[in-house]
Amino acid sequence: MKEIYSPDRIAEMIMTIDPDFYLPSDEQRPIISIDTNPLEPAVVIAGAGSGKTETMATRVIYLVANGFARPDQILGLTFTRKAAGELAVRIRTRLRQLRAAGLIPENTPLEVSVTTYHSYAGRLLSEHAIRFGIDADSQPVGEAALWMAANTLVRDWNDPDFVYEGALNTAIDDVMGLASLILEHQVSLDSIRAADEKTLGELAAFSGGLNDDVRAVSRTARQRIALLPLVERFIETRRGEGTLSFDDQMSLAADIATNFADVGELERAKYSVVLLDEYQDTSQSQVRMLSSLFGGGHPVMAVGDPCQAIYTWRGASAGTINSFARYFPKVAGQTGAERYSLLTTFRNDKAILELANVVSEQIRAESGADVPPLTPRIGAGAGSLSCGVFETI
């Protein structure tokens, strides 16, 4: 595969239509071109304000202009509908400019599949849930409906041996929370029970009196074990009735991708290029689904920043970026770099960026991802910082 138009040439042509467009930076250029970033797995560390959306959009138009992929063969996934909409609009705008500049034929379709991770999982599930005997055509249920289902389950639970040291509402919240964590982290009830029983066994071997903290650990382990049958029923009932939550959808989609190889074959045939935005916030279910569908050397470019991993409570991890190559390994003959970086921020003045780098220093050290601090753009202002302590909101 050899490029016809370089990233700079494409930018120059678009600049004749859009004067605000600009040549790729020295960091962006290697990510865009297949000479340096071939069609194979790669991860991009993209700091805050470093132009990642524009880089992804430019990568798409570069591939389309050079005939490496059609727009309808490209899949882009991100977290929120707002982010998906912004990325889709950016790509369509650049494709229209590409067509206006004469770099692609007039009849080239401009639609690229850009959606959220959950929407993609929902689509996958609606097409293949019948393999599990599940009707998954309905929309996922919201928090209120889930709470009502958990409330009914806990109130009607008829087990004389069930003991829970807490209020009814706390038990309901714990059933919902534990079910969500089990689905997101892809762990079995047996493994949770075994871990808690091991903890209780070790605590039982302690001699002397136990302090409040140790007693709290013991109580939590006992109550978690007691809740496991309710959690199992909670998940099974919803799946049997087809009233699925977002967590159910993602977990089932991951099961489908893992257990049925032909689903991955269909998706890889449909999408020759995959872009994963905000990859640092993907949960274990999402990583399992995506790697089962698009692992094995498929052209997957993940973009993320461990310093922006904000969904750790939902199963995401700052270390996800570092483990990308384990889930999306290159195959023999693939020689591109495994990792690229966008570390120049165009958003912040110097003083603000200096503080941000101090704040993120700990997570950069703990993530193991070897992420250097962000650097300011050329011509960035000095900036100013102020803080205040207020008596009321």
Side-chain angles (χ1 to χ4, degrees), residues 278-341:
E278 305 289 7
Y279 184 74
Q280 78 282 346
D281 280 325
T282 49
S283 68
Q284 186 59 37
S285 286
Q286 290 164 336
V287 171
R288 193 164 69 96
M289 176 187 73
L290 295 166
S291 61
S292 296
L293 295 174
F294 301 113
H298 198 72
V300 175
M301 188 173 82
V303 183
D305 177 10
C307 295
Q308 298 182 65
I310 62 174
Y311 293 125
T312 51
W313 52 271
R314 200 186 58 194
S317 167
T320 303
I321 291 280
N322 218 31
S323 62
F324 175 82
R326 178 155 57 92
Y327 290 100
F328 298 92
K330 294 180 184 292
V331 297
Q334 293 183 330
T335 57
E338 290 183 354
R339 193 150 117 182
Y340 304 82
S341 295

Side-chain angles (χ1 to χ4, degrees), residues 34 37 60 66 93 102 111 180 201 282 314 331 334 337 352 364 369 380:
I34 68 158
N37 182 15
V60 169
N66 283 286
T93 299
E111 287 303 314
S180 176
T282 49
R314 200 186 58 194
V331 297
Q334 293 183 330
I352 298 167
R364 281 188 277 116

Side-chain angles (χ1 to χ4, degrees), residues 5 10 57-74 91 95 98 103-105 108-110 112:
Y5 305 105
I10 292 171
T58 306
R59 169 76 166 178
V60 169
I61 64 172
Y62 168 85
L63 295 175
V64 173
N66 283 286
F68 300 137
R70 300 191 312 269
D72 62 342
Q73 293 177 314
I74 297 171
I91 290 174
L95 287 171
L98 205 63
L103 295 178
I104 57 175
T108 301
L110 302 183
V112 175

Side-chain angles (χ1 to χ4, degrees), residues 2-58:
K2 191 168 180 61
E3 70 177 23
I4 303 169
Y5 305 105
S6 69
D8 282 21
R9 181 56 183 153
I10 292 171
E12 289 166 354
M13 295 289 285
I14 290 179
M15 286 163 67
T16 63
I17 299 164
D18 180 4
D20 293 329
F21 199 65
Y22 50 83
L23 292 173
S25 69
D26 291 342
E27 291 177 338
Q28 292 171 325
R29 195 175 293 108
I31 298 168
I32 296 166
S33 174
I34 68 158
D35 285 350
T36 45
N37 182 15
L39 290 174
E40 56 192 57
V43 65
V44 178
I45 306 296
S50 62
K52 65 162 187 168
T53 303
E54 190 62 71
T55 303
M56 287 189 288
T58 306

